[in-house]
Amino acid sequence: MRIMKLRLQADESIKCQRNIYEYVLGGEQDKSLLQIRLFEESTKRAAYTRQTEAAKEKGVSNCPLCAIGDNANKTRIYKFNEMDADHVTAWSKGGATSIENCEMLCKTHNRSKGNK
Ligand SMILES: [Zn+2]
C-alpha cells in the first residue's frame, strides 16, 4: 500500500494529492477522489465514436471546431489517432475528467486551445 501511495504521489496528472490516502484506503475504487487530468483511453474512444457518428449524420467534421470553421477541413472526418481529448469545461476551472466533459478535437485545434 505504501508503494501504491508513492507511485500515485509521483503522478503529475493527479491534482488532489491529499485524496490519495483516502483513495488507497477505499480500495482504489473511487477515482474521482484523485481528480485525474488525463482521459482514459476508453473514455476517449467512447467520445470519439459518439462525435464521429453525429458528425457523419450531419455531414460535417468530427472536430467540432473544424465543423464551424470556414476552411478545407469543414467536413473532414479525422481518425482517432489524429485527435486529442479536451475538457469542455477546463480542468483548471474544475471540469471533471469524465465522458460528459470529454470532447475530441483535431490536434491542431487541441493545441491552439492551450494547456488546460
Ligand atoms: Zn479542428
Side-chain angles (χ1 to χ4, degrees), residues 15-34:
K15 184 166 65 172
C16 243
Q17 294 281 339
R18 68 180 182 278
N19 284 344
I20 289 175
Y21 194 62
E22 204 180 331
Y23 170 73
V24 174
L25 275 183
E28 297 160 29
Q29 296 296 314
D30 188 2
K31 281 200 169 178
S32 64
L33 283 172
L34 298 178

Side-chain angles (χ1 to χ4, degrees), residues 35-80:
Q35 299 184 23
I36 295 169
R37 181 169 60 87
L38 300 174
F39 287 102
E40 285 185 32
E41 190 71 10
S42 58
T43 306
K44 291 197 275 188
R45 292 263 174 202
Y48 175 81
T49 303
R50 182 182 65 190
Q51 264 177 246
T52 304
E53 281 173 6
K56 279 181 178 168
E57 221 163 87
K58 287 192 216 161
V60 296
S61 173
N62 57 348
C63 167
L65 295 180
C66 284
I68 57 171
D70 191 17
N71 59 69
N73 293 329
K74 206 171 159 62
T75 58
R76 179 167 169 186
I77 298 293
Y78 291 91
K79 294 193 186 82
F80 179 73

